[in-house]
Amino acid sequence: MVDYHSAGQPYAYGGNGPGPNGDYMAQEDDWDRDLLLDPAWEKQQRKTFTAWCNSHLRKAGTQIENIDEDFRDGLKLMLLLEVISGERLPKPERGKMRVHKINNVNKALDFIASKGVKLVSIGAEEIVDGNAKMTLGMIWTIILRFAIQDISVEETSAKEGLLLWCQRKTAPYKNVNVQNFHISWKDGLAFNALIHRHRPELIEYDKLRKDDPVTNLNNAFEVAEKYLDIPKMLDAEDIVNTARPDEKAIMTYVSSFYHAFSGAQKAETAANRICKVLAVNQENEHLMEDYEKLASDLLEWIKRTIPWLEDRSPQKTIQEMQQKLEDFRDYRRIHKPPKVQEKCQLEINFNTLQTKLRLSNRPAFMPSEGKMVSDINNGWQHLEQAEKGYEEWLLNEIRRLERLDHLAEKFRQKASIHESWTEGKEAMLKQKDYETATLSDIKALIRKHEAFESDLAAHQDRVEQIAAIAQELNELDYYDSPSVNARCQKICDQWDVLGSLTHSRREALEKTEKQLETIDELHLEYAKRAAPFNNWMESAMEDLQDMFIVHTIEEIEGLIAAHDQFKSTLPDADKEREAILGIQREAQRIADFNSIKLSGNNPYTSVTPQIINSKWERVQQLVPKRDHALLDEQSKQQSNEHLRRQFASQANIVGPWIQTKMEEIGRISIEMNGTLEDQLNHLKQYEQSIVDYKPNIDLLEQQHQLIQEALIFDNKHTNYTMEHIRVGWEQLLTTIARTINEVENQILTRDAKGISQEQMQEFRASFNHFDKDHGGSLGPEEFKACLISLGYDVENDRQGDAEFNRIMSVVDPNNSGIVTFQAFIDFMSRETTDTDTADQVIASFKVLAGDKNYITAEELRRELPPDQAEYCIARMAPYQGPDAAPGALDYKSFSTALYGESDL
């Protein structure tokens, strides 16, 4: 180390230090001491260096006024070095003597030398004596070491790095050409361009004029001081009025801009990278949880169902077995289909999750033990095997019971038929109806009895068959034989009783027949005319009370015309009624005259005069009621016709509109132009225009509600039904939503893989070119042609076929024979882009932590959004390093765990 306390050995100014950064300002070796004597340059350096020192000293609550006086005692010089380095210097001496001041300055110069700076011709005595040029030289050395040395842009550092940074930031601005740190800044536009590039809201760059440098410079200085916390280090007039402004003053001021902007940009970039990585990880964890739950539920259902399918307990009756078969059919029809859908959805979710993990450079998802897709497939195969065996067993058991139950069912059917036939037969044979009957009644009863005797003889074979079947069931040991035998015995006993009663009744009827001789012809004539007239009245009453149903105005008008025709026949009907009643009166007159006691009602008909008169009065009452009902229905149909026309008018507008929009969406999905964001915005605007059309659908629904309430089922004025409109509307919303989702997935893939817009458009153009049927997918040959057009060597030779098969195994792992656009984009993105790595995330966390090996919860909450900050805090382990502070969190293990390299 240089002996700063020996007289005659001052520090060197601007030399190269021995450390790794010893040549950090080799370009400054040619420092021209005489230039320090230039009053204009000295003035600029005094103001700039003073402002620069005060921008740091104010952090310690102090400042300097005169740069060559206020550093003479070394106290503020040491304080300045502590503030800008963040390190503690040796304790200063507080004495007022010259030796105390020299010692303090030497401590400061010792610290500067410890940072690898070799000073030339700068000694503590010159600083204590207030040597202006030595003091300015020392401050410039400090600025070089602590403000400019660490600047690095594309492998260039210090002055070249700062100059390159300025050139890059100001390149897009007109009238700005930064080639140095003196005359390139005289017009002030370069300062304004730097501010506008990073904070465009602070500068109205287009309003600045190159021929007004003072205004430009003052504008930049004032904005930097007010909004960027960069003190005003230069005077606009000094710069403008100097042929060649002081380079070191300009570099010092410009370095403040670099430090002001570069720190914020690094923090923002680091925070954005972490947010992106955490968002992907959170989404993947959610998908993993969904898969685990769905897999557990499906496996539990399979576990419950297999024992039921393996149960082979037989039943006694075919009904019980049929119930088992019905339960099985319910299982196949109702319970199993949703589980088939769940199994399919589970595989889809698994594949989607693996794709997302692959796109985000994460390790493949490994489900819990026993919940792999293969485990579910094995369980499902076991289920279907049990299902097949169960169905075969049910059918065989039913066939067996059918064979055994056939005879029993045959017995029951024949027995039921016989019992139904014999029901009431004993009571009929025992009745004494012939004792008060007329001759015609007797003859009718005899004919009826003869018919019964024929029927009785025909049933003899059935009784014998019943007995034979019962005997066979007994021989086969049918489980319900006792009830069969009891029923058969009852049938045989009843058959013997019927035979005896039949013989007795025939004798009684033949004896009574001989006692009755006369017949009343008038009764016969009355019956012949009363019956059709009675039928006419019954039909008229039925028609008048019929609950007619019509759907059109034409139908109700037809009913009204038919009713008017019926009313015109009523006078003739009344004349017929009087004639029939006259026959009955004539018969009664003759009987009374000859003292004949009539048995009562006419033997040939049950239609009495009282019935005819009663029904005629009823017809007279129903006619006006029918008139009112028809008129009411006519009014209703007129109202319904209005509703039909109203609905049809709106439906004939909405239906074609939906069809047109569906066709337009089809064209949009094929002819997409511009960036994906433009396409997405266009589709969302298009979707909004569709949603805005919803009031027209609602109006149609209201009109359809009125039609339903009116029970209108047809409408000849339109081919559109409300169901057609609803289905079309839902398909329209689904189609536009699906198209938007496809574009969002493309954006997700593009952003995740860093694909440029031009690449995405090239991929889309190539895919659409070979998608000849516009179906949204490519067959193997179409996909091969597409790859050839993109420069892949997949021609029809052994090497090309092998390469093509490899690519097909990536884009079509399920061997479906088609390649979707999303699979095509995934493949091309893997071929052309890279993804985030654990090292990049660790580097980003290190930026947020201020280069520490750990990070605190407070720093995470300050730099990240609330939900993602809490996500990190909950998952980061405590930091265990030797430099750990209270609450320190280990971001390195957390970052590696995100990519599967360790467990959280």
Side-chain angles (χ1 to χ4, degrees), residues 564-607:
D564 292 339
Q565 178 65 29
F566 166 78
K567 289 192 292 184
S568 68
T569 66
L570 290 179
D572 293 336
D574 191 42
K575 292 179 182 179
E576 177 65 11
R577 181 181 67 87
E578 290 295 337
I580 294 171
L581 294 178
I583 295 173
Q584 177 64 26
R585 287 192 295 269
E586 180 63 17
Q588 185 65 44
R589 186 188 66 78
I590 295 173
D592 291 342
F593 180 79
N594 294 288
S595 300
I596 298 173
K597 185 179 181 181
L598 299 177
S599 61
N601 295 332
N602 192 318
Y604 300 103
T605 181
S606 61
V607 180

Side-chain angles (χ1 to χ4, degrees), residues 760-771:
M760 185 64 74
Q761 290 176 346
E762 179 184 359
F763 296 159
R764 167 58 76 178
S766 298
F767 188 92
N768 287 344
H769 176 75
F770 292 97
D771 185 13

